Amino acid sequence: MENKIIEVSGLSKKYTSAKSFALDHIDLTINSGSIFGLLGPNGAGKSTFINILSGLTNKSSGVVKVCGIDLDENPKTVRGNIGVVPQEINIDPFFSPIQIMDIQAGLYGVKKENNKNLEILKNLDLFEKAKAYSRSLSGGMKRRLMVAKAMVHNPPLLILDEPTAGVDVELRSKLWNSIRTLNKKGVTIILTTHYLKEAEILCDRIAVINKGKVIACDEKKKFMQLLDEKELIIEFSEQIKKIPSEIKKYCKKKEKKSLTLKFKKSKISTADIIKIFVEKKFKLKEISTKESDLEDIFIKLLKE
Ligand code: ADP
């Protein structure tokens, strides 16, 4: 059986000023070693969930266990098992990365002999900048330093809140690599994201939260199978006269010289469709396809 790093049952949160639940009886387990994506629109309850885990917000009811330890029974140990990378960068520009790390280690009571700050900086590709002024770091380096800061007490679980919000494409992929490296070293990762491609690329499991409820939670692979729809656009060299009868049911849009077809990959393949056209002597010019991505699934789930 897989080791559970997070076990949450019946977790609810109602802010005193609010009419409805920010989290409404959530049950969720997260396996050790996973990169787990928490998706949901604004106001879904993602930050509330993360803040409860990291001790910034009190829950209203329910049970939360981190590494098998009950949050109510031992909040300090639970906090020690979690590193949190907040959305905003808060780094003192006049300190060097290693100074920032050492101050953080002091705050967490990390003993000198357990201080692995240089190693952590090395793992995050910041070793050469360890003694530089932090204000001289690039945006990507600052973000990696935020991750390093969250790792000073060597927690088995790292939570990243919108890790690549407002980050450009190149920095984004560097940050993804750093996250993957940490995960390979055994750190379980939970990340919230608005950016669905990020979850698709990084995560092995995904939960979708909406209005305080988990509306779906599954392996990413299964999510991707949820919609096995594919779109195929075929352009022909000649005007289309009659659509083959076996294709008609897949036809979404017909123009003079092009057809847009939508079908389930589990029912028919692109090759089968092309074969039908070729056998009927259609002259094909261009073919393009579009698979459903997480975005489509997300929209579908929210509509439901
Ligand atoms: P997300 O992180 O998914 O955007 P949040 O957890 O921030 O969602 O918010 C969930 C719900 O709780 C929203 O309706 C939000 O307005 C409400 N909420 C969040 N923080 C507070 C607070 N401190 N006081 C009152 N309501 C809050």
Side-chain angles (χ1 to χ4, degrees):
M1 213 177 80
E2 274 174 295
N3 232 339
K4 310 277 181 223
I5 197 159
I6 299 275
E7 295 159 277
V8 162
S9 59
L11 176 63
S12 293
K13 171 73 187 177
K14 195 160 177 285
Y15 290 99
T16 33
S17 57
K19 283 196 192 110
S20 53
F21 282 97
L23 289 179
D24 192 357
H25 298 87
I26 281 191
D27 298 319
L28 198 66
T29 54
I30 299 178
N31 291 337
S32 260
S34 170
I35 302 187
F36 190 92
L38 211 52
L39 304 184
N42 263 334
K46 304 180 296 293
S47 306
T48 302
F49 181 75
I50 284 180
N51 291 343
I52 290 171
L53 287 184
S54 56
L56 290 174
T57 303
N58 290 326
K59 60 188 169 61
S60 303
S61 58
V63 177
V64 173
K65 285 185 184 172
V66 179
C67 302
I69 298 157
D70 192 313
L71 179 67
D72 289 334
E73 286 167 16
N74 207 336
K76 209 170 157 209
T77 312
V78 165
R79 270 200 295 282
N81 279 322
I82 300 177
V84 182
V85 184
Q87 254 183 63
E88 3 27 271
I89 293 177
N90 55 15
I91 290 168
D92 192 318
F94 296 103
F95 286 106
S96 66
I98 192 67
Q99 284 170 328
I100 289 170
M101 297 283 286
D102 287 342
I103 293 167
Q104 185 81 356
L107 290 176
Y108 272 90
V110 178
K111 292 195 180 119
K112 256 206 172 116
E113 62 267 30
N114 294 331
N115 183 316
K116 300 232 167 69
N117 286 347
L118 279 175
E119 193 183 319
I120 297 168
L121 289 176
K122 205 181 264 176
N123 286 339
L124 286 158
D125 219 2
L126 286 168
F127 185 70
E128 273 157 31
K129 291 279 181 183
K131 291 180 180 165
Y133 273 129
S134 291
R135 62 166 182 247
S136 71
L137 302 185
S138 70
M141 286 171 179
K142 281 184 188 144
R143 288 216 176 240
R144 294 209 297 281
L145 181 54
M146 291 294 294
V147 177
K149 244 177 97 178
M151 291 300 299
V152 286
H153 56 300
N154 195 24
L157 174 64
L158 183 68
I159 300 178
L160 300 119
D161 194 4
E162 299 272 349
T164 59
V167 168
D168 71 31
V169 178
E170 197 190 338
L171 293 186
R172 192 174 270 164
S173 72
K174 275 195 181 151
L175 208 64
W176 287 343
N177 283 339
S178 304
I179 293 170
R180 281 197 196 100
T181 308
L182 283 173
N183 180 247
K184 279 195 191 120
K185 287 183 186 290
V187 181
T188 305
I189 312 275
I190 301 179
L191 60 94
T192 70
T193 185
H194 268 90
Y195 181 45
L196 299 174
K197 205 82 202 159
E198 181 160 86
E200 199 175 325
I201 290 170
L202 268 186
C203 301
D204 48 54
R205 267 181 90 79
I206 290 169
V208 179
I209 300 192
N210 191 33
K211 295 181 185 155
K213 287 190 160 73
V214 175
I215 56 171
C217 180
D218 220 325
E219 284 173 32
K220 188 205 26 211
K221 268 189 269 170
K222 296 243 173 75
F223 260 102
M224 305 317 284
Q225 285 164 7
L226 265 180
L227 277 187
D228 72 332
E229 264 177 11
K230 190 158 183 164
E231 207 171 86
L232 177 66
I233 302 166
I234 311 176
E235 278 182 54
F236 302 91
S237 320
E238 302 168 343
Q239 199 161 330
I240 306 160
K241 286 180 196 114
K242 190 169 173 279
I243 302 172
S245 56
E246 54 273 61
I247 296 289
K248 250 187 182 152
K249 59 181 168 212
Y250 305 121
C251 190
K252 213 179 108 196
K253 193 169 145 201
K254 178 177 180 280
E255 285 175 64
K256 264 188 193 166
K257 287 186 178 181
S258 87
L259 275 184
T260 303
L261 306 170
K262 213 166 191 175
F263 56 93
K264 288 203 185 296
K265 286 186 284 179
S266 51
K267 295 270 186 293
I268 189 167
S269 72
T270 305
D272 290 338
I273 293 176
I274 301 299
K275 200 167 149 222
I276 294 169
F277 281 109
V278 171
E279 279 171 1
K280 308 242 172 207
K281 310 271 184 254
F282 277 75
K283 291 208 170 74
L284 278 60
K285 193 175 157 201
E286 290 283 348
I287 296 165
S288 59
T289 60
K290 181 186 173 284
E291 310 234 358
S292 335
D293 57 16
L294 203 53
E295 182 111 31
D296 300 318
I297 296 166
F298 190 65
I299 291 165
K300 188 173 182 245
L301 283 171
L302 290 185
K303 269 190 196 147
E304 279 170 5

